[in-house]
Amino acid sequence: MNKSYVILIIGGISFGTAAIFIKFSDLTPGAIAFFRFLVAGLILSLGNIDLKKIIKYSPFGLLLSLHMITFILGVYNTTIIDATVLVSTSPFFAILLSPLSKFKTERIDIIITTIGFSGIIIMNYPLQIGYIYGNIMSLISAFLISLYTTLLSRNEENPLVLTSSIYISSSIFSLPFMIYQGIGKIDSTSVLSLLGLIFIPTLIGHTSVIYASNKVKPQYIETIGLLEPVVASIIAIFTFNQIPTLFEVLGSVLIVSSIILVINKK
């Protein structure tokens, strides 16, 4: 299997922990985004912070920061089901934005994306009606991550330099939100949740997206990212004692099938 796809699958699996960690945390969205990207960026910079690179890639940092804050607001202000479904519309946005990428969209891409999204719908059936604000934030988050992934496809920078620069600039853009919202409640659970967010879905998950961004079609990256709700459902069995329903199992099969189709097409 292509190395980029292996890395993306590992990243997709790691994304499944994000909503779990966020639900356990009592920090504000701004604080989570700021500390999450600042620490991850400093770790990946290996002590070599390039201010020019941080400024150069600041547009990506802005998009990632806004995506993360709107995602957290979505999780906090609507049901997990609604937030998961709406954020998972990102592959469709990626197809709509494909003219901005260096890759050409084919009919099979649309079919694969539709299969994956159908899995999301079935997995979360029956859909619950959440709050309007949280739902809108989730949709905006989906659009922002799709735009971010699409624009990244044109970049040829060294992945380590690119990743650390984006993360640090993203933390800078998140700082005003933290100042406005405050830090929130700091306790052992929040700190451990933040560390989990930094080391698993950030250093593994988002870094995998940046690494593969100029090697894999944006809609394929977003489709593989649909592993997030599958993994989250599995984790929920052990953390919240939530046993998967028949619809969740069937939906998961469709999602995994769409990812297999992506890999086989490659």
Side-chain angles (χ1 to χ4, degrees):
M1 189 189 300
N2 186 295
K3 179 181 177 181
S4 298
Y5 286 88
V6 173
I7 291 175
L8 277 173
I9 289 173
I10 294 173
I13 292 172
S14 74
F15 280 137
T17 64
I20 305 295
F21 286 131
I22 289 172
K23 273 297 185 184
F24 277 122
S25 175
D26 287 319
L27 299 177
T28 64
I32 290 175
F34 174 75
F35 289 114
R36 177 179 182 178
F37 290 121
L38 177 63
V39 175
L42 291 175
I43 290 174
L44 292 177
S45 71
L46 303 176
N48 184 24
I49 299 176
D50 190 331
L51 185 57
K52 290 183 179 180
K53 295 288 186 182
I54 292 174
I55 295 174
K56 179 180 179 180
Y57 298 117
S58 59
F60 296 114
L62 175 61
L63 287 173
L64 185 58
S65 173
L66 292 175
H67 155 71
M68 189 52 53
I69 289 171
T70 50
F71 170 67
I72 297 170
L73 286 172
V75 172
Y76 280 175
N77 292 280
T78 189
T79 63
I80 286 290
I81 289 177
D82 282 352
T84 300
V85 171
L86 294 174
V87 170
S88 296
T89 59
S90 56
F92 281 110
F93 285 118
I95 288 178
L96 294 175
L97 294 168
S98 61
L100 299 177
S101 77
K102 70 175 186 178
F103 299 101
K104 181 181 178 181
T105 297
E106 304 171 43
R107 182 175 297 178
I108 187 64
D109 300 339
I110 298 175
I111 294 173
I112 291 173
T113 299
T114 302
I115 292 173
F117 184 66
S118 297
I120 288 291
I121 297 297
I122 293 173
M123 187 177 179
N124 293 284
Y125 181 84
L127 296 177
Q128 299 182 28
I129 299 176
Y131 300 104
I132 293 178
Y133 175 71
N135 289 350
I136 292 175
M137 288 298 103
S138 298
L139 275 174
I140 293 174
S141 180
F143 171 76
L144 289 170
I145 195 62
S146 299
L147 180 60
Y148 167 82
T149 305
T150 301
L151 295 178
L152 268 178
S153 69
R154 294 181 174 275
N155 199 282
E156 301 293 339
E157 178 66 79
N158 175 286
L160 191 61
V161 174
L162 178 62
T163 305
S164 61
S165 299
I166 289 177
Y167 286 173
I168 293 175
S169 67
S170 184
S171 70
I172 294 172
F173 284 115
S174 301
L175 180 59
F177 290 96
M178 185 181 73
I179 293 174
Y180 174 74
Q181 297 172 342
I183 294 179
K185 181 181 178 182
I186 301 177
D187 55 24
S188 59
T189 301
S190 294
V191 171
L192 289 174
S193 297
L194 179 62
L195 290 175
L197 280 169
I198 292 170
F199 286 100
I200 302 179
T202 306
L203 285 176
I204 297 176
H206 282 285
T207 301
S208 73
V209 171
I210 295 175
Y211 173 82
S213 60
N214 64 351
K215 305 175 183 66
V216 179
K217 288 184 177 182
Q219 55 266 38
Y220 286 179
I221 293 176
E222 297 302 327
T223 298
I224 293 174
L226 296 181
L227 277 171
E228 178 176 352
V230 177
V231 175
S233 295
I234 294 173
I235 295 176
I237 296 174
F238 305 100
T239 55
F240 301 113
N241 197 30
Q242 295 180 357
I243 306 302
T245 64
L246 176 60
F247 289 112
E248 288 174 329
V249 173
L250 292 175
S252 297
V253 170
L254 279 176
I255 291 171
V256 174
S257 297
S258 69
I259 294 170
I260 291 174
L261 286 173
V262 167
I263 295 170
N264 285 339
K265 182 177 184 298
K266 175 63 181 176

Short mmCIF file of all heavy atoms in Angstrom, two decimals, residues 66-67 69-78 83 86-87 131-144:
data_model
loop_
_atom_site.label_atom_id
_atom_site.label_comp_id
_atom_site.label_asym_id
_atom_site.label_seq_id
_atom_site.Cartn_x
_atom_site.Cartn_y
_atom_site.Cartn_z
N LEU A 66 -9.50 28.38 12.68
CA LEU A 66 -10.95 28.60 12.58
C LEU A 66 -11.71 27.27 12.50
O LEU A 66 -12.79 27.13 13.07
CB LEU A 66 -11.26 29.45 11.35
CG LEU A 66 -10.79 30.91 11.42
CD1 LEU A 66 -11.05 31.62 10.10
CD2 LEU A 66 -11.47 31.65 12.57
N HIS A 67 -11.12 26.31 11.78
CA HIS A 67 -11.75 24.97 11.71
C HIS A 67 -11.85 24.36 13.10
O HIS A 67 -12.89 23.82 13.48
CB HIS A 67 -10.94 24.04 10.80
CG HIS A 67 -11.13 22.59 11.12
ND1 HIS A 67 -12.31 21.91 10.87
CD2 HIS A 67 -10.29 21.69 11.71
CE1 HIS A 67 -12.19 20.66 11.27
NE2 HIS A 67 -10.98 20.49 11.79
N ILE A 69 -11.75 25.77 16.12
CA ILE A 69 -12.63 26.48 17.05
C ILE A 69 -14.10 26.23 16.70
O ILE A 69 -14.93 25.99 17.58
CB ILE A 69 -12.30 27.98 17.04
CG1 ILE A 69 -10.94 28.21 17.73
CG2 ILE A 69 -13.38 28.79 17.76
CD1 ILE A 69 -10.40 29.59 17.61
N THR A 70 -14.43 26.26 15.40
CA THR A 70 -15.82 26.00 15.01
C THR A 70 -16.20 24.54 15.27
O THR A 70 -17.35 24.25 15.62
CB THR A 70 -16.05 26.34 13.52
OG1 THR A 70 -15.04 25.70 12.71
CG2 THR A 70 -16.00 27.84 13.29
N PHE A 71 -15.23 23.63 15.13
CA PHE A 71 -15.49 22.21 15.42
C PHE A 71 -15.82 22.03 16.90
O PHE A 71 -16.79 21.36 17.27
CB PHE A 71 -14.28 21.36 15.05
CG PHE A 71 -14.37 19.94 15.52
CD1 PHE A 71 -15.30 19.06 15.00
CD2 PHE A 71 -13.50 19.46 16.50
CE1 PHE A 71 -15.39 17.75 15.44
CE2 PHE A 71 -13.57 18.15 16.95
CZ PHE A 71 -14.53 17.29 16.42
N ILE A 72 -15.01 22.65 17.76
CA ILE A 72 -15.24 22.53 19.21
C ILE A 72 -16.57 23.18 19.59
O ILE A 72 -17.33 22.64 20.40
CB ILE A 72 -14.08 23.17 19.98
CG1 ILE A 72 -12.77 22.43 19.70
CG2 ILE A 72 -14.35 23.15 21.48
CD1 ILE A 72 -11.53 23.12 20.22
N LEU A 73 -16.87 24.35 19.00
CA LEU A 73 -18.15 25.01 19.27
C LEU A 73 -19.31 24.13 18.82
O LEU A 73 -20.36 24.09 19.48
CB LEU A 73 -18.20 26.37 18.56
CG LEU A 73 -17.34 27.48 19.16
CD1 LEU A 73 -17.33 28.70 18.25
CD2 LEU A 73 -17.86 27.87 20.55
N GLY A 74 -19.12 23.43 17.70
CA GLY A 74 -20.16 22.53 17.23
C GLY A 74 -20.40 21.39 18.21
O GLY A 74 -21.54 21.05 18.54
N VAL A 75 -19.30 20.79 18.71
CA VAL A 75 -19.40 19.69 19.67
C VAL A 75 -20.06 20.16 20.97
O VAL A 75 -20.88 19.45 21.57
CB VAL A 75 -18.01 19.10 19.98
CG1 VAL A 75 -18.09 18.09 21.12
CG2 VAL A 75 -17.43 18.43 18.72
N TYR A 76 -19.73 21.39 21.39
CA TYR A 76 -20.27 21.92 22.64
C TYR A 76 -21.74 22.34 22.53
O TYR A 76 -22.46 22.36 23.53
CB TYR A 76 -19.46 23.14 23.09
CG TYR A 76 -18.14 22.82 23.79
CD1 TYR A 76 -17.27 23.84 24.14
CD2 TYR A 76 -17.77 21.52 24.08
CE1 TYR A 76 -16.06 23.56 24.78
CE2 TYR A 76 -16.58 21.23 24.71
CZ TYR A 76 -15.72 22.26 25.06
OH TYR A 76 -14.53 21.98 25.69
N ASN A 77 -22.20 22.70 21.32
CA ASN A 77 -23.51 23.34 21.19
C ASN A 77 -24.54 22.55 20.37
O ASN A 77 -25.58 23.10 20.02
CB ASN A 77 -23.34 24.73 20.57
CG ASN A 77 -22.63 25.70 21.49
OD1 ASN A 77 -23.25 26.26 22.40
ND2 ASN A 77 -21.35 25.88 21.29
N THR A 78 -24.24 21.31 20.05
CA THR A 78 -25.23 20.47 19.41
C THR A 78 -24.98 19.03 19.86
O THR A 78 -24.07 18.77 20.64
CB THR A 78 -25.19 20.59 17.88
OG1 THR A 78 -26.32 19.91 17.32
CG2 THR A 78 -23.93 20.01 17.29
N ALA A 83 -23.18 16.92 15.13
CA ALA A 83 -21.85 17.46 14.89
C ALA A 83 -21.04 16.52 14.00
O ALA A 83 -20.36 16.95 13.06
CB ALA A 83 -21.12 17.70 16.22
N LEU A 86 -22.51 16.55 10.29
CA LEU A 86 -22.29 17.80 9.58
C LEU A 86 -20.81 18.06 9.29
O LEU A 86 -20.44 18.52 8.21
CB LEU A 86 -22.89 18.97 10.37
CG LEU A 86 -24.42 18.90 10.48
CD1 LEU A 86 -24.95 20.00 11.39
CD2 LEU A 86 -25.06 19.03 9.10
N VAL A 87 -19.92 17.76 10.26
CA VAL A 87 -18.49 17.93 10.01
C VAL A 87 -18.01 16.94 8.94
O VAL A 87 -17.09 17.23 8.18
CB VAL A 87 -17.69 17.75 11.32
CG1 VAL A 87 -16.20 17.67 11.04
CG2 VAL A 87 -17.98 18.90 12.27
N TYR A 131 -29.08 21.89 18.04
CA TYR A 131 -29.28 23.33 18.09
C TYR A 131 -28.72 23.98 16.82
O TYR A 131 -27.70 23.55 16.29
CB TYR A 131 -28.59 23.90 19.33
CG TYR A 131 -29.13 23.33 20.62
CD1 TYR A 131 -28.41 22.38 21.33
CD2 TYR A 131 -30.35 23.75 21.13
CE1 TYR A 131 -28.89 21.85 22.52
CE2 TYR A 131 -30.85 23.22 22.31
CZ TYR A 131 -30.12 22.27 23.00
OH TYR A 131 -30.61 21.74 24.16
N ILE A 132 -29.41 25.01 16.36
CA ILE A 132 -29.05 25.65 15.09
C ILE A 132 -27.62 26.18 15.12
O ILE A 132 -26.85 25.98 14.18
CB ILE A 132 -30.03 26.80 14.77
CG1 ILE A 132 -31.43 26.24 14.50
CG2 ILE A 132 -29.54 27.60 13.57
CD1 ILE A 132 -32.47 27.29 14.22
N TYR A 133 -27.24 26.85 16.20
CA TYR A 133 -25.90 27.44 16.29
C TYR A 133 -24.82 26.38 16.16
O TYR A 133 -23.87 26.51 15.38
CB TYR A 133 -25.75 28.20 17.62
CG TYR A 133 -24.36 28.75 17.85
CD1 TYR A 133 -23.90 29.82 17.11
CD2 TYR A 133 -23.53 28.20 18.83
CE1 TYR A 133 -22.62 30.34 17.32
CE2 TYR A 133 -22.26 28.70 19.05
CZ TYR A 133 -21.82 29.77 18.30
OH TYR A 133 -20.54 30.27 18.51
N GLY A 134 -24.96 25.28 16.92
CA GLY A 134 -23.97 24.21 16.87
C GLY A 134 -23.91 23.56 15.50
O GLY A 134 -22.83 23.20 15.01
N ASN A 135 -25.07 23.40 14.85
CA ASN A 135 -25.11 22.79 13.52
C ASN A 135 -24.42 23.67 12.49
O ASN A 135 -23.68 23.18 11.62
CB ASN A 135 -26.56 22.54 13.10
CG ASN A 135 -27.20 21.41 13.89
OD1 ASN A 135 -26.52 20.68 14.61
ND2 ASN A 135 -28.51 21.26 13.77
N ILE A 136 -24.66 24.97 12.57
CA ILE A 136 -24.02 25.91 11.63
C ILE A 136 -22.52 25.89 11.83
O ILE A 136 -21.74 25.89 10.86
CB ILE A 136 -24.59 27.33 11.81
CG1 ILE A 136 -26.05 27.38 11.36
CG2 ILE A 136 -23.75 28.35 11.02
CD1 ILE A 136 -26.74 28.71 11.61
N MET A 137 -22.07 25.88 13.09
CA MET A 137 -20.64 25.84 13.37
C MET A 137 -20.00 24.57 12.80
O MET A 137 -18.89 24.59 12.26
CB MET A 137 -20.40 25.90 14.88
CG MET A 137 -20.66 27.25 15.53
SD MET A 137 -19.59 28.57 14.92
CE MET A 137 -20.73 29.43 13.83
N SER A 138 -20.71 23.45 12.88
CA SER A 138 -20.19 22.19 12.37
C SER A 138 -20.05 22.23 10.85
O SER A 138 -19.07 21.72 10.29
CB SER A 138 -21.11 21.04 12.78
OG SER A 138 -21.17 20.92 14.19
N LEU A 139 -21.03 22.82 10.17
CA LEU A 139 -20.96 22.95 8.72
C LEU A 139 -19.82 23.88 8.29
O LEU A 139 -19.09 23.59 7.34
CB LEU A 139 -22.28 23.49 8.17
CG LEU A 139 -23.38 22.46 7.91
CD1 LEU A 139 -24.68 23.17 7.51
CD2 LEU A 139 -22.96 21.48 6.83
N ILE A 140 -19.67 24.98 9.01
CA ILE A 140 -18.58 25.90 8.71
C ILE A 140 -17.24 25.21 8.92
O ILE A 140 -16.30 25.37 8.13
CB ILE A 140 -18.68 27.17 9.58
CG1 ILE A 140 -19.92 27.99 9.20
CG2 ILE A 140 -17.42 28.03 9.45
CD1 ILE A 140 -20.17 29.18 10.10
N SER A 141 -17.15 24.41 9.97
CA SER A 141 -15.93 23.66 10.26
C SER A 141 -15.59 22.71 9.12
O SER A 141 -14.43 22.57 8.72
CB SER A 141 -16.09 22.88 11.56
OG SER A 141 -14.93 22.15 11.87
N ALA A 142 -16.61 22.04 8.58
CA ALA A 142 -16.40 21.11 7.46
C ALA A 142 -15.88 21.86 6.23
O ALA A 142 -14.96 21.39 5.54
CB ALA A 142 -17.71 20.41 7.12
N PHE A 143 -16.46 23.02 5.95
CA PHE A 143 -16.01 23.81 4.80
C PHE A 143 -14.56 24.28 4.98
O PHE A 143 -13.75 24.21 4.05
CB PHE A 143 -16.92 25.03 4.61
CG PHE A 143 -16.41 26.00 3.59
CD1 PHE A 143 -16.52 25.72 2.23
CD2 PHE A 143 -15.79 27.18 3.98
CE1 PHE A 143 -16.03 26.61 1.27
CE2 PHE A 143 -15.30 28.07 3.04
CZ PHE A 143 -15.42 27.79 1.69
N LEU A 144 -14.24 24.74 6.17
CA LEU A 144 -12.91 25.28 6.44
C LEU A 144 -11.82 24.21 6.29
O LEU A 144 -10.76 24.46 5.71
CB LEU A 144 -12.86 25.89 7.84
CG LEU A 144 -13.64 27.19 8.02
CD1 LEU A 144 -13.72 27.56 9.50
CD2 LEU A 144 -12.99 28.33 7.23
#
